[in-house]
Amino acid sequence: GAGVSQSPSNKVTEKGKDVELRCDPISGHTALYWYRQSLGQGLEFLIYFQGNSAPDKSGLPSDRFSAERTGGSVSTLTIQRTQQEDSAVYLCASSSTDRVGEQYFGPGTRLTVT
Amino acid sequence: QKEVEQNSGPLSVPEGAIASLNCTYSDRVSQSFFWYRQYSGKSPELIMSIYSNGDKEDGRFTAQLNKASQYVSLLIRDSQPSDSATYLCAVRTDRGSTLGRLYFGRGTQLTVWP
């Protein structure tokens, strides 16, 4: 079946602009995660949605970052007033309810803030 | 406080050797453990999961878990150049409000030379 998809694959934006990144999880997966990875660095957790529970937002680095998950499926990560330090690859992953740790990652969105 | 620690490497082994990757974690209530592989420029992919003490084998890969020592390892037998990648250790801890999120180590870079 189809895997996790993300769009756009690449995004170049000017400092101060807002950006929206989209994630389509695997059908039926109730858990959805956003991470970011800077060049040569590890995965940085951003936010985690699990079913209808309140999301775990503990990884969002500032109030410029927000995420929504509509209808328990598609998720959008929004970064307002982008800064150069926001440049990174943003990865989305999903998993089933009973295998939360077994995550399937999308191809990522490479964000460059100029 | 670092939840999951790995040697960053790089670890370099000759083709055909056993590669040993190690990971320690700080939270004693951690419940499940995972190894992900990430090729350069690609997204992480799950290669092993382990939930109970002892060894779990899957082809050339063996995961070992010792909860008393808070230690998990990955052995790759008959290493191949195609195994050259960064290996990420991940630990899941269910702490109510955290919804059982996954904590990733920073990864160990493995190079298998022919």
Side-chain angles (χ1 to χ4, degrees):
Chain A
V4 178
S5 60
Q6 293 186 245
S7 61
S9 55
N10 281 284
K11 176 71 176 180
V12 180
T13 190
E14 293 180 351
K15 177 181 174 182
K17 301 281 189 179
D18 298 352
V19 295
E20 284 189 353
L21 311 180
R22 176 188 168 103
C23 172
D24 265 292
I26 292 173
S27 178
H29 278 187
T30 58
L32 186 148
Y33 319 77
W34 284 98
Y35 300 90
R36 73 176 176 183
Q37 190 170 38
S38 301
L39 189 63
Q41 302 299 309
L43 286 174
E44 178 185 2
F45 167 78
L46 297 177
I47 189 168
Y48 166 26
F49 296 90
Q50 172 61 289
N52 294 322
S53 301
D56 178 353
K57 303 180 181 180
S58 60
L60 295 177
S62 77
D63 59 7
R64 296 187 296 106
F65 288 73
S66 62
E68 290 185 340
R69 189 176 185 193
T70 55
S73 181
V74 171
S75 178
T76 302
L77 177 69
T78 301
I79 308 173
Q80 296 179 311
R81 305 181 301 282
T82 52
Q83 304 294 313
Q84 287 188 329
E85 60 263 29
D86 299 335
S87 297
V89 175
Y90 288 80
L91 291 162
C92 175
S94 71
S95 68
S96 62
T97 305
D98 57 342
R99 294 188 177 274
V100 169
E102 297 181 10
Q103 300 184 7
Y104 295 82
F105 282 80
T109 294
R110 181 175 299 277
L111 175 66
T112 303
V113 182
T114 61
Chain B
Q1 179 186 3
K2 292 187 177 179
E3 301 277 349
V4 182
E5 295 212 39
Q6 299 180 249
N7 290 329
S8 61
L11 175 65
S12 182
V13 301
E15 184 174 358
I18 296 175
S20 178
L21 304 161
N22 304 314
C23 173
T24 58
Y25 58 95
S26 61
D27 197 331
R28 286 195 168 274
V29 302
S30 295
Q31 300 162 323
S32 42
F33 308 86
F34 307 87
W35 285 98
Y36 285 77
R37 177 177 62 198
Q38 186 174 25
Y39 291 115
S40 181
K42 301 295 185 182
S43 299
E45 58 178 328
L46 177 69
I47 55 172
M48 288 286 285
S49 58
I50 186 166
Y51 299 91
S52 55
N53 278 329
D55 294 0
K56 178 181 177 182
E57 186 174 319
D58 184 0
R60 295 186 296 111
F61 298 95
T62 299
Q64 300 174 317
L65 174 62
N66 183 327
K67 290 188 177 181
S69 300
Q70 296 175 237
Y71 177 91
V72 58
S73 65
L74 180 70
L75 300 178
I76 306 174
R77 291 183 302 282
D78 188 23
S79 294
Q80 301 296 309
S82 59
D83 295 325
S84 299
T86 296
Y87 289 80
L88 303 169
C89 174
V91 173
R92 179 174 178 242
T93 301
D94 207 343
R95 280 193 171 280
S97 64
T98 66
L99 305 178
R101 58 165 281 202
L102 213 55
Y103 291 84
F104 281 89
R106 294 180 60 83
T108 298
Q109 185 180 341
L110 172 66
T111 300
V112 182
W113 44 278

